[in-house]
Coordinates of all heavy atoms in Angstrom, one line a residue:
M15 N -8.5 -14.6 -13.1 CA -7.3 -14.2 -12.3 C -7.6 -14.6 -10.8 O -8.5 -14.2 -10.3 CB -7.0 -12.7 -12.4 CG -6.4 -12.2 -13.6 SD -4.6 -12.3 -13.3 CE -4.1 -11.0 -14.6
P16 N -6.5 -15.3 -10.2 CA -6.7 -15.5 -8.8 C -6.7 -14.2 -8.0 O -6.1 -13.2 -8.5 CB -5.4 -16.4 -8.5 CG -4.6 -16.3 -9.6 CD -5.3 -15.7 -10.8
A17 N -7.1 -14.4 -6.7 CA -7.1 -13.2 -5.8 C -6.2 -13.4 -4.6 O -5.9 -14.6 -4.3 CB -8.6 -12.9 -5.4
I18 N -5.7 -12.3 -4.1 CA -4.9 -12.5 -2.8 C -5.7 -11.8 -1.7 O -6.6 -10.9 -2.0 CB -3.5 -11.9 -3.0 CG1 -3.6 -10.4 -3.2 CG2 -2.7 -12.6 -4.1 CD1 -2.3 -9.7 -3.0
S19 N -5.2 -12.1 -0.4 CA -5.8 -11.5 0.7 C -5.0 -10.3 1.1 O -3.8 -10.4 1.2 CB -5.9 -12.5 1.8 OG -6.3 -11.9 3.0
V20 N -5.6 -9.2 1.3 CA -4.9 -7.9 1.7 C -5.7 -7.3 2.9 O -6.8 -7.3 3.0 CB -4.9 -6.8 0.7 CG1 -4.2 -5.5 1.2 CG2 -4.2 -7.3 -0.6
T21 N -4.9 -6.9 4.0 CA -5.5 -6.4 5.2 C -4.9 -5.0 5.4 O -3.6 -4.7 5.2 CB -5.2 -7.3 6.4 OG1 -5.7 -8.5 6.3 CG2 -5.8 -6.7 7.7
W22 N -5.8 -4.1 5.6 CA -5.4 -2.7 6.0 C -5.7 -2.4 7.5 O -6.8 -2.7 7.9 CB -6.2 -1.6 5.2 CG -5.9 -1.7 3.7 CD1 -4.9 -0.9 3.1 CD2 -6.6 -2.4 2.7 NE1 -5.0 -1.0 1.8 CE2 -5.9 -2.0 1.5 CE3 -7.6 -3.4 2.7 CZ2 -6.3 -2.6 0.2 CZ3 -8.0 -3.9 1.5 CH2 -7.2 -3.6 0.2
V23 N -4.8 -1.9 8.3 CA -5.0 -1.6 9.7 C -5.3 0.0 9.6 O -4.3 0.8 9.1 CB -3.7 -1.9 10.5 CG1 -4.1 -1.5 11.9 CG2 -3.6 -3.4 10.5
L24 N -6.4 0.3 10.0 CA -6.8 1.9 9.9 C -6.2 2.6 11.1 O -5.9 2.0 12.1 CB -8.4 1.9 9.9 CG -9.0 1.0 8.8 CD1 -10.6 1.0 9.0 CD2 -8.6 1.3 7.5
P25 N -6.3 4.0 10.9 CA -5.7 4.7 11.9 C -6.3 4.6 13.4 O -5.8 4.7 14.4 CB -5.9 6.1 11.5 CG -5.9 6.0 10.0 CD -6.5 4.7 9.7
D26 N -7.7 4.2 13.4 CA -8.4 3.9 14.6 C -8.1 2.6 15.2 O -8.7 2.1 16.2 CB -9.8 4.2 14.5 CG -10.5 3.2 13.5 OD1 -9.8 2.2 13.1 OD2 -11.7 3.4 13.2
G27 N -7.2 1.9 14.6 CA -6.9 0.4 15.0 C -7.7 -0.8 14.5 O -7.4 -1.9 14.7
N28 N -8.9 -0.3 13.9 CA -9.7 -1.4 13.3 C -8.9 -1.8 12.0 O -8.2 -1.2 11.4 CB -11.0 -0.9 12.9 CG -11.9 -0.7 14.2 OD1 -11.9 -1.5 15.1 ND2 -12.6 0.5 14.1
S29 N -9.3 -3.1 11.6 CA -8.8 -3.6 10.3 C -9.7 -4.0 9.4 O -10.8 -4.4 9.8 CB -7.6 -4.6 10.6 OG -8.2 -5.8 11.2
R30 N -9.5 -4.0 8.1 CA -10.3 -4.5 7.0 C -9.6 -5.5 6.1 O -8.3 -5.1 5.8 CB -10.7 -3.4 6.2 CG -11.8 -2.4 6.8 CD -13.2 -2.8 6.6 NE -13.5 -3.2 5.2 CZ -13.8 -2.2 4.3 NH1 -13.8 -0.9 4.6 NH2 -14.0 -2.6 3.0
T31 N -10.2 -6.6 5.8 CA -9.5 -7.5 4.9 C -10.3 -7.7 3.6 O -11.6 -7.6 3.7 CB -9.2 -8.9 5.6 OG1 -8.4 -8.7 6.7 CG2 -8.6 -9.9 4.7
A32 N -9.7 -7.7 2.5 CA -10.3 -7.8 1.2 C -9.6 -8.7 0.3 O -8.4 -8.9 0.4 CB -10.7 -6.5 0.5
D33 N -10.3 -9.4 -0.6 CA -9.6 -10.1 -1.7 C -9.4 -9.2 -2.8 O -10.2 -8.3 -3.2 CB -10.5 -11.3 -2.2 CG -10.7 -12.4 -1.2 OD1 -9.8 -12.5 -0.4 OD2 -11.7 -13.1 -1.2
V34 N -8.2 -9.2 -3.4 CA -7.8 -8.3 -4.4 C -7.2 -9.1 -5.6 O -6.5 -10.1 -5.4 CB -6.7 -7.4 -3.9 CG1 -6.2 -6.5 -5.1 CG2 -7.1 -6.6 -2.7
Q35 N -7.9 -9.0 -6.8 CA -7.4 -9.7 -7.9 C -6.0 -9.4 -8.2 O -5.5 -8.3 -8.2 CB -8.3 -9.2 -9.2 CG -9.8 -9.4 -9.1 CD -10.1 -10.9 -9.3 OE1 -9.6 -11.5 -10.3 NE2 -10.8 -11.5 -8.4
E36 N -5.3 -10.5 -8.6 CA -3.9 -10.3 -9.1 C -3.8 -9.3 -10.3 O -4.6 -9.4 -11.0 CB -3.2 -11.7 -9.4 CG -3.0 -12.5 -8.1 CD -2.1 -13.8 -8.4 OE1 -1.7 -13.8 -9.6 OE2 -2.0 -14.6 -7.6
G37 N -2.8 -8.5 -10.2 CA -2.5 -7.6 -11.4 C -3.0 -6.2 -11.0 O -2.7 -5.2 -11.6
H38 N -3.9 -6.1 -10.0 CA -4.4 -4.8 -9.5 C -3.4 -4.2 -8.5 O -2.8 -4.9 -7.8 CB -5.8 -4.9 -8.9 CG -6.9 -5.2 -9.8 ND1 -8.3 -4.7 -9.7 CD2 -6.9 -5.9 -10.9 CE1 -9.0 -5.0 -10.7 NE2 -8.1 -5.8 -11.5
N39 N -3.4 -2.9 -8.5 CA -2.4 -2.3 -7.6 C -3.3 -2.0 -6.3 O -4.5 -1.9 -6.2 CB -1.7 -1.0 -8.0 CG -2.6 0.2 -8.1 OD1 -3.1 0.6 -7.2 ND2 -2.6 0.7 -9.4
L40 N -2.5 -2.0 -5.1 CA -3.2 -1.9 -3.9 C -3.7 -0.5 -3.5 O -4.5 -0.4 -2.5 CB -2.2 -2.5 -2.8 CG -1.8 -3.9 -3.0 CD1 -1.0 -4.5 -1.8 CD2 -2.9 -4.8 -3.4
M41 N -3.4 0.5 -4.2 CA -4.1 1.8 -4.1 C -5.5 1.7 -4.6 O -6.5 1.9 -3.9 CB -3.3 3.0 -4.8 CG -4.0 4.3 -4.9 SD -5.2 4.4 -6.2 CE -4.1 4.7 -7.6
E42 N -5.6 1.2 -5.8 CA -6.9 1.0 -6.4 C -7.8 0.1 -5.5 O -9.0 0.4 -5.4 CB -6.8 0.3 -7.8 CG -6.2 1.1 -8.9 CD -5.9 0.4 -10.2 OE1 -5.8 -0.9 -10.0 OE2 -5.8 1.0 -11.1
A43 N -7.2 -1.0 -5.1 CA -7.9 -1.9 -4.2 C -8.4 -1.3 -3.0 O -9.6 -1.4 -2.6 CB -7.0 -3.0 -3.8
A44 N -7.6 -0.3 -2.4 CA -8.1 0.4 -1.1 C -9.2 1.4 -1.5 O -10.2 1.4 -0.7 CB -6.8 1.2 -0.6
V45 N -9.0 2.1 -2.6 CA -10.2 3.0 -3.0 C -11.5 2.2 -3.2 O -12.5 2.7 -2.8 CB -9.6 3.9 -4.2 CG1 -10.8 4.6 -4.8 CG2 -8.5 4.8 -3.8
S46 N -11.3 1.1 -4.0 CA -12.6 0.4 -4.4 C -13.2 -0.2 -3.1 O -14.5 -0.5 -3.1 CB -12.4 -0.6 -5.4 OG -11.4 -1.5 -5.2
N47 N -12.4 -0.5 -2.1 CA -12.9 -1.1 -0.9 C -13.2 0.1 0.2 O -13.6 -0.2 1.3 CB -12.0 -2.0 -0.2 CG -12.1 -3.4 -1.0 OD1 -13.1 -4.1 -0.8 ND2 -11.1 -3.6 -1.8
G48 N -13.1 1.3 -0.2 CA -13.6 2.4 0.7 C -12.7 2.6 1.9 O -13.1 3.0 3.0
I49 N -11.3 2.3 1.8 CA -10.5 2.3 2.9 C -10.1 3.8 3.1 O -9.5 4.5 2.2 CB -9.1 1.5 2.6 CG1 -9.4 0.1 2.3 CG2 -8.2 1.7 3.7 CD1 -10.0 -0.7 3.4
A50 N -10.5 4.3 4.4 CA -10.2 5.7 4.6 C -8.8 6.0 4.7 O -8.0 5.2 5.2 CB -10.9 6.1 6.0
G51 N -8.3 7.1 4.2 CA -6.9 7.5 4.2 C -6.2 7.2 3.0 O -5.0 7.6 3.0
I52 N -6.7 6.5 2.2 CA -6.0 6.3 0.8 C -6.9 6.9 -0.2 O -8.1 6.4 -0.4 CB -6.0 4.7 0.5 CG1 -5.1 4.0 1.6 CG2 -5.3 4.5 -0.8 CD1 -3.7 4.3 1.6
S53 N -6.4 8.0 -0.8 CA -7.2 8.6 -1.9 C -6.7 8.4 -3.3 O -7.5 8.4 -4.3 CB -7.5 10.0 -1.7 OG -6.2 10.7 -1.4
G54 N -5.4 8.2 -3.4 CA -4.8 7.9 -4.8 C -5.1 9.0 -5.7 O -5.5 8.8 -6.9
D55 N -4.8 10.3 -5.3 CA -5.2 11.4 -6.1 C -4.6 11.5 -7.5 O -5.1 12.0 -8.5 CB -4.7 12.7 -5.4 CG -5.6 12.9 -4.1 OD1 -6.6 12.2 -3.9 OD2 -5.2 13.8 -3.4
C56 N -3.4 10.9 -7.7 CA -2.7 11.0 -9.0 C -3.0 9.8 -10.0 O -2.5 9.7 -11.0 CB -1.3 11.2 -8.9 SG -0.3 9.7 -8.4
G57 N -3.8 8.9 -9.4 CA -4.2 7.7 -10.2 C -3.2 6.8 -10.4 O -3.2 5.8 -11.3
G58 N -2.2 6.7 -9.5 CA -1.1 5.7 -9.6 C 0.1 6.2 -10.3 O 0.9 5.3 -10.8
A59 N 0.3 7.4 -10.6 CA 1.3 7.9 -11.4 C 2.6 8.3 -10.6 O 3.5 9.0 -11.1 CB 0.9 9.1 -12.2
L60 N 2.6 8.0 -9.3 CA 3.8 8.2 -8.5 C 4.0 9.7 -8.3 O 5.1 10.1 -8.4 CB 5.0 7.5 -9.2 CG 6.1 7.1 -8.2 CD1 5.6 6.2 -7.0 CD2 7.1 6.3 -9.0
A61 N 2.9 10.5 -8.2 CA 3.0 11.9 -8.1 C 2.3 12.6 -6.9 O 2.3 13.8 -6.9 CB 2.5 12.5 -9.5
C62 N 1.7 11.8 -6.1 CA 0.9 12.5 -5.1 C 1.3 11.9 -3.6 O 1.0 12.7 -2.6 CB -0.6 12.3 -5.3 SG -1.2 10.6 -5.0
A63 N 1.5 10.7 -3.5 CA 1.9 10.1 -2.2 C 0.7 10.0 -1.3 O 0.8 9.9 0.0 CB 3.0 10.8 -1.5
T64 N -0.6 10.1 -1.9 CA -1.8 10.0 -1.0 C -2.1 8.5 -0.9 O -3.3 8.2 -0.5 CB -3.0 10.8 -1.6 OG1 -3.2 10.3 -2.9 CG2 -2.7 12.3 -1.6
C65 N -1.3 7.6 -1.2 CA -1.6 6.1 -1.2 C -0.5 5.6 -0.3 O -0.3 4.3 -0.2 CB -1.4 5.5 -2.5 SG 0.2 5.8 -3.3
H66 N 0.1 6.4 0.6 CA 1.1 6.0 1.5 C 0.5 4.8 2.5 O -0.5 5.1 3.1 CB 1.7 7.2 2.3 CG 2.7 6.9 3.3 ND1 2.9 7.7 4.4 CD2 3.7 5.9 3.4 CE1 3.8 7.2 5.1 NE2 4.4 6.1 4.5
V67 N 1.4 3.8 2.6 CA 1.0 2.8 3.6 C 2.5 2.3 4.3 O 3.6 2.5 3.6 CB 0.4 1.5 3.0 CG1 -0.9 1.9 2.5 CG2 1.3 0.9 2.0
A68 N 2.3 1.6 5.4 CA 3.5 1.0 5.9 C 3.2 -0.6 6.0 O 2.1 -0.9 6.4 CB 3.8 1.5 7.3
V69 N 4.2 -1.3 5.4 CA 4.0 -2.7 5.4 C 4.3 -3.3 6.7 O 5.4 -3.3 7.2 CB 4.9 -3.4 4.3 CG1 4.7 -4.8 4.2 CG2 4.6 -2.7 2.9
L70 N 3.2 -3.9 7.3 CA 3.5 -4.5 8.7 C 3.9 -5.9 8.6 O 4.7 -6.4 9.3 CB 2.2 -4.4 9.5 CG 1.7 -3.0 10.0 CD1 0.5 -3.2 10.9 CD2 2.7 -2.4 10.8
E71 N 3.2 -6.6 7.6 CA 3.6 -8.0 7.4 C 3.7 -8.2 5.9 O 2.7 -7.8 5.2 CB 2.5 -9.0 7.9 CG 2.7 -9.1 9.5 CD 1.6 -10.0 10.0 OE1 1.1 -11.1 9.3 OE2 1.0 -9.6 11.0
G72 N 4.7 -8.8 5.4 CA 4.9 -9.0 4.0 C 6.3 -9.4 3.6 O 7.2 -9.3 4.5
S73 N 6.6 -9.8 2.4 CA 7.9 -10.2 2.0 C 8.9 -9.0 2.0 O 8.5 -7.9 1.9 CB 7.7 -10.8 0.6 OG 7.4 -9.7 -0.3
E74 N 10.1 -9.3 2.0 CA 11.2 -8.3 1.9 C 11.0 -7.4 0.6 O 11.0 -6.2 0.7 CB 12.5 -8.9 1.8 CG 13.1 -9.2 3.1 CD 12.9 -8.1 4.2 OE1 13.5 -7.0 3.9 OE2 12.3 -8.3 5.3
S75 N 10.5 -8.0 -0.4 CA 10.4 -7.2 -1.7 C 9.2 -6.3 -1.5 O 9.3 -5.2 -2.1 CB 10.2 -8.1 -2.9 OG 9.0 -8.8 -2.9
A76 N 8.2 -6.6 -0.8 CA 7.1 -5.8 -0.6 C 7.4 -4.5 0.3 O 6.8 -3.5 0.2 CB 5.8 -6.6 0.1
K77 N 8.5 -4.8 1.1 CA 8.9 -3.7 2.1 C 9.9 -2.7 1.3 O 10.3 -1.8 2.0 CB 9.4 -4.3 3.3 CG 8.4 -5.0 4.2 CD 9.1 -5.7 5.2 CE 8.1 -6.4 6.1 NZ 8.6 -7.3 7.2
T78 N 10.4 -3.1 0.2 CA 11.5 -2.3 -0.4 C 11.0 -1.5 -1.5 O 10.2 -2.0 -2.4 CB 12.6 -3.3 -0.9 OG1 12.9 -4.3 0.0 CG2 13.8 -2.5 -1.4
C79 N 11.3 -0.1 -1.5 CA 10.7 0.7 -2.5 C 11.7 1.1 -3.6 O 12.9 0.9 -3.3 CB 10.1 2.0 -1.9 SG 11.4 3.1 -1.1
G80 N 11.3 1.5 -4.7 CA 12.1 1.9 -5.8 C 12.6 3.3 -5.6 O 12.2 4.1 -4.6
E81 N 13.5 3.8 -6.5 CA 14.3 5.0 -6.2 C 13.3 6.3 -6.2 O 13.2 7.2 -5.5 CB 15.4 5.2 -7.2 CG 16.4 6.1 -6.9 CD 17.6 6.0 -7.8 OE1 18.0 4.9 -8.2 OE2 17.9 7.1 -8.2
M82 N 12.5 6.4 -7.3 CA 11.5 7.5 -7.5 C 10.5 7.5 -6.4 O 10.1 8.4 -5.8 CB 10.7 7.4 -8.8 CG 11.5 8.0 -9.9 SD 10.7 7.8 -11.5 CE 9.1 8.7 -11.2
E83 N 10.0 6.3 -6.1 CA 9.1 6.2 -4.9 C 9.8 6.7 -3.6 O 9.0 7.3 -2.8 CB 8.7 4.6 -4.8 CG 7.6 4.3 -3.9 CD 7.4 2.8 -3.8 OE1 7.8 2.0 -4.7 OE2 6.7 2.4 -2.9
D84 N 11.1 6.4 -3.5 CA 11.8 6.8 -2.2 C 11.7 8.3 -2.2 O 11.4 8.8 -1.1 CB 13.2 6.2 -2.4 CG 13.9 6.3 -1.1 OD1 13.3 6.3 0.0 OD2 15.2 6.6 -1.2
D85 N 11.9 9.0 -3.3 CA 12.0 10.5 -3.2 C 10.5 10.9 -2.8 O 10.5 12.0 -2.2 CB 12.3 11.0 -4.7 CG 13.8 10.7 -5.0 OD1 14.6 10.4 -4.1 OD2 14.1 10.9 -6.2
M86 N 9.5 10.3 -3.4 CA 8.2 10.8 -3.1 C 7.8 10.5 -1.6 O 7.1 11.4 -1.0 CB 7.0 10.0 -4.0 CG 6.9 10.5 -5.3 SD 6.4 12.2 -5.5 CE 4.8 12.2 -4.7
L87 N 8.3 9.5 -1.1 CA 8.0 9.1 0.3 C 8.6 10.1 1.2 O 8.1 10.3 2.4 CB 8.5 7.8 0.6 CG 7.6 6.6 0.2 CD1 8.4 5.2 0.2 CD2 6.3 6.6 1.0
D88 N 9.6 10.8 0.7 CA 10.2 11.9 1.6 C 9.3 13.0 1.8 O 9.4 13.8 2.7 CB 11.6 12.4 0.9 CG 12.7 11.5 1.2 OD1 12.6 10.7 2.2 OD2 13.7 11.5 0.4
M89 N 8.3 13.2 0.9 CA 7.3 14.2 1.0 C 6.0 13.9 1.6 O 5.0 14.7 1.6 CB 7.0 14.7 -0.4 CG 8.3 15.5 -1.0 SD 7.9 16.1 -2.6 CE 8.5 15.0 -3.7
V90 N 5.8 12.7 2.1 CA 4.5 12.3 2.6 C 4.1 13.0 3.9 O 4.9 13.4 4.7 CB 4.4 10.8 2.9 CG1 4.7 10.0 1.7 CG2 5.5 10.3 4.0
D91 N 2.8 13.1 4.1 CA 2.2 13.9 5.2 C 2.4 13.1 6.5 O 3.0 13.5 7.5 CB 0.7 14.1 5.0 CG 0.4 15.1 4.0 OD1 1.3 15.9 3.7 OD2 -0.8 15.1 3.5
G92 N 2.0 11.9 6.5 CA 2.2 11.0 7.6 C 3.6 10.6 7.9 O 4.4 10.9 7.0
E93 N 3.9 10.1 9.0 CA 5.2 9.9 9.4 C 5.8 8.7 8.4 O 5.1 7.6 8.3 CB 5.2 9.4 10.8 CG 6.5 9.4 11.4 CD 6.6 9.0 13.0 OE1 5.6 9.4 13.6 OE2 7.4 8.1 13.3
R94 N 6.9 8.8 7.9 CA 7.5 7.7 7.1 C 8.1 6.7 8.1 O 8.7 7.1 9.1 CB 8.6 8.4 6.3 CG 9.2 7.4 5.3 CD 10.1 7.8 4.2 NE 10.6 6.7 3.6 CZ 11.4 6.8 2.4 NH1 11.7 7.9 2.0 NH2 11.7 5.7 1.9
S95 N 8.0 5.5 7.7 CA 8.6 4.4 8.4 C 9.5 3.6 7.7 O 9.6 3.7 6.4 CB 7.5 3.5 9.1 OG 7.0 2.6 8.1
E96 N 10.2 2.7 8.2 CA 11.2 1.8 7.5 C 10.6 1.1 6.3 O 11.3 0.8 5.4 CB 11.6 0.7 8.5 CG 12.6 1.2 9.6 CD 14.1 1.2 9.0 OE1 14.5 0.1 8.7 OE2 14.6 2.3 9.0
T97 N 9.3 0.7 6.5 CA 8.7 -0.1 5.5 C 7.6 0.6 4.8 O 6.7 0.1 4.1 CB 8.0 -1.4 6.1 OG1 7.0 -1.0 7.1 CG2 9.1 -2.2 6.8
S98 N 7.7 2.0 4.7 CA 6.8 2.8 4.0 C 6.8 2.4 2.5 O 7.9 2.2 1.9 CB 7.0 4.3 4.2 OG 6.6 4.8 5.4
R99 N 5.6 2.3 2.0 CA 5.4 2.2 0.5 C 4.4 3.1 -0.1 O 3.5 3.5 0.7 CB 5.1 0.7 0.1 CG 6.1 -0.3 0.4 CD 7.4 -0.1 -0.4 NE 7.2 0.0 -1.9 CZ 7.2 -1.1 -2.8 NH1 7.4 -2.3 -2.3 NH2 7.0 -0.8 -4.0
L100 N 4.4 3.4 -1.3 CA 3.3 4.0 -2.0 C 2.5 2.8 -2.6 O 3.0 2.1 -3.5 CB 3.7 4.9 -3.1 CG 4.6 6.1 -2.6 CD1 5.1 7.0 -3.6 CD2 3.6 6.9 -1.6
S101 N 1.2 2.7 -2.2 CA 0.5 1.4 -2.5 C 0.2 1.2 -4.0 O -0.1 0.2 -4.4 CB -0.6 1.2 -1.5 OG -1.5 2.2 -1.5
C102 N 0.2 2.4 -4.7 CA 0.0 2.2 -6.2 C 1.1 1.5 -6.8 O 1.0 1.0 -7.9 CB -0.2 3.6 -6.8 SG 1.2 4.7 -6.8
Q103 N 2.1 1.3 -6.1 CA 3.4 0.6 -6.7 C 3.4 -0.8 -6.3 O 4.3 -1.6 -6.6 CB 4.7 1.3 -6.3 CG 4.8 2.8 -6.7 CD 4.5 3.0 -8.2 OE1 5.3 2.4 -9.0 NE2 3.5 3.8 -8.7
L104 N 2.5 -1.2 -5.4 CA 2.4 -2.6 -5.0 C 1.3 -3.3 -5.8 O 0.2 -2.9 -5.8 CB 1.9 -2.7 -3.5 CG 3.0 -2.3 -2.5 CD1 2.4 -2.0 -1.1 CD2 4.1 -3.4 -2.3
I105 N 1.7 -4.3 -6.6 CA 0.8 -4.9 -7.5 C 0.5 -6.2 -7.0 O 1.4 -7.1 -6.7 CB 1.5 -5.1 -8.9 CG1 2.1 -3.8 -9.5 CG2 0.5 -5.7 -9.9 CD1 1.1 -2.7 -9.7
A106 N -0.8 -6.6 -6.9 CA -1.2 -7.8 -6.3 C -0.6 -9.0 -7.0 O -0.8 -9.1 -8.2 CB -2.7 -7.9 -6.2
S107 N 0.1 -9.9 -6.2 CA 0.6 -11.1 -7.0 C 0.7 -12.1 -5.7 O 0.7 -11.7 -4.6 CB 2.0 -10.9 -7.6 OG 2.8 -10.6 -6.5
S108 N 0.9 -13.4 -6.2 CA 0.9 -14.4 -5.0 C 2.0 -14.0 -4.0 O 1.8 -14.3 -2.8 CB 1.1 -15.8 -5.7 OG 2.3 -15.8 -6.4
D109 N 3.1 -13.3 -4.3 CA 4.1 -13.0 -3.4 C 3.6 -12.1 -2.3 O 4.1 -12.0 -1.2 CB 5.1 -12.2 -4.3 CG 6.3 -11.7 -3.4 OD1 6.8 -12.5 -2.6 OD2 6.6 -10.5 -3.5
L110 N 2.4 -11.4 -2.6 CA 1.9 -10.4 -1.6 C 0.7 -10.9 -0.8 O 0.1 -10.3 0.0 CB 1.5 -9.1 -2.3 CG 2.5 -8.4 -3.0 CD1 2.0 -6.9 -3.5 CD2 3.8 -8.0 -2.2
D111 N 0.4 -12.2 -1.1 CA -0.8 -12.8 -0.3 C -0.6 -12.7 1.1 O 0.4 -13.1 1.7 CB -1.0 -14.3 -0.8 CG -2.3 -14.8 -0.5 OD1 -3.3 -14.0 -0.2 OD2 -2.5 -16.0 -0.4
G112 N -1.7 -12.2 1.8 CA -1.6 -12.0 3.2 C -1.0 -10.8 3.8 O -0.7 -10.7 4.9
I113 N -0.6 -10.0 2.8 CA 0.1 -8.6 3.2 C -0.8 -7.9 4.2 O -2.0 -7.9 4.1 CB 0.5 -7.8 2.0 CG1 1.5 -6.8 2.4 CG2 -0.7 -7.3 1.3 CD1 2.1 -6.2 1.1
V114 N -0.1 -7.2 5.2 CA -0.8 -6.4 6.1 C -0.2 -5.0 6.0 O 1.0 -4.8 6.1 CB -0.7 -6.8 7.6 CG1 -1.5 -5.9 8.6 CG2 -1.2 -8.3 7.7
L115 N -1.1 -4.0 5.8 CA -0.7 -2.6 5.5 C -1.3 -1.7 6.6 O -2.5 -1.7 6.8 CB -1.2 -2.1 4.1 CG -0.7 -3.0 3.0 CD1 -1.5 -2.5 1.6 CD2 0.8 -3.1 2.7
R116 N -0.4 -0.8 7.1 CA -0.9 0.1 8.1 C -1.1 1.5 7.4 O -0.2 1.9 6.7 CB 0.0 0.3 9.2 CG -0.5 1.2 10.4 CD 0.4 1.2 11.6 NE 1.7 1.5 11.3 CZ 2.2 2.7 11.1 NH1 1.5 3.8 11.2 NH2 3.6 2.9 10.8
I117 N -2.3 2.1 7.6 CA -2.5 3.4 7.1 C -1.9 4.4 8.1 O -2.2 4.5 9.2 CB -4.0 3.7 6.9 CG1 -4.8 2.6 6.2 CG2 -4.2 5.1 6.2 CD1 -4.5 2.4 4.8
P118 N -0.9 5.2 7.7 CA -0.2 6.2 8.6 C -1.2 7.2 9.1 O -2.2 7.6 8.5 CB 0.8 6.8 7.8 CG 1.0 5.9 6.6 CD -0.3 5.3 6.4
Ligands
FES12 S1 -1.7 7.2 -6.1 FE1 -0.4 8.9 -6.3 S2 1.6 8.2 -5.7 FE2 0.3 6.4 -5.5

């Protein structure tokens, strides 16, 4: 499987970039790369919102959330933004290559 490049901007302003295999979701990728602030408590079941990110750079589809995700995002701890997503719902594909995510 090819990999894409994903960058996380951490709350302290530092950033981390990692290669993520296509087909993996970006919550799992954050957890396996030890990205602070993403815990993915529900394992990607759209039930916890501990995988909240804001898309700083990425395609329109990457910035647009689904309806159930939208409801969960209303309950997030950090401030919700226009491009907030639950990163367990972002699946690595060539469309997301070079995506930049901010941890709220
Ligand atoms: S990991 Fe729980 S909603 Fe994404």
Side-chain angles (χ1 to χ4, degrees):
M15 278 271 203
I18 64 164
S19 167
V20 178
T21 298
W22 291 269
V23 178
L24 308 175
D26 64 7
N28 289 322
S29 63
R30 289 270 313 276
T31 300
D33 289 336
V34 178
Q35 297 283 310
E36 287 189 12
H38 286 214
N39 75 58
L40 300 192
M41 172 278 284
E42 290 170 340
V45 171
S46 62
N47 282 285
I49 304 294
I52 300 287
S53 55
D55 292 349
C56 77
L60 209 52
C62 71
T64 61
C65 60
H66 177 209
V67 295
V69 179
L70 292 183
E71 283 172 42
S73 65
E74 276 313 303
S75 65
K77 292 176 180 172
T78 309
C79 65
E81 204 173 310
M82 273 177 61
E83 189 180 345
D84 191 35
D85 289 343
M86 281 303 297
L87 280 165
D88 282 338
M89 292 184 254
V90 296
D91 289 340
E93 199 181 314
R94 184 172 178 174
S95 78
E96 287 275 299
T97 63
S98 281
R99 292 296 310 267
L100 294 176
S101 54
C102 64
Q103 304 301 305
L104 286 165
I105 310 298
S107 68
S108 55
D109 179 51
L110 299 188
D111 193 21
I113 196 168
V114 180
L115 305 173
R116 182 172 58 79
I117 312 292

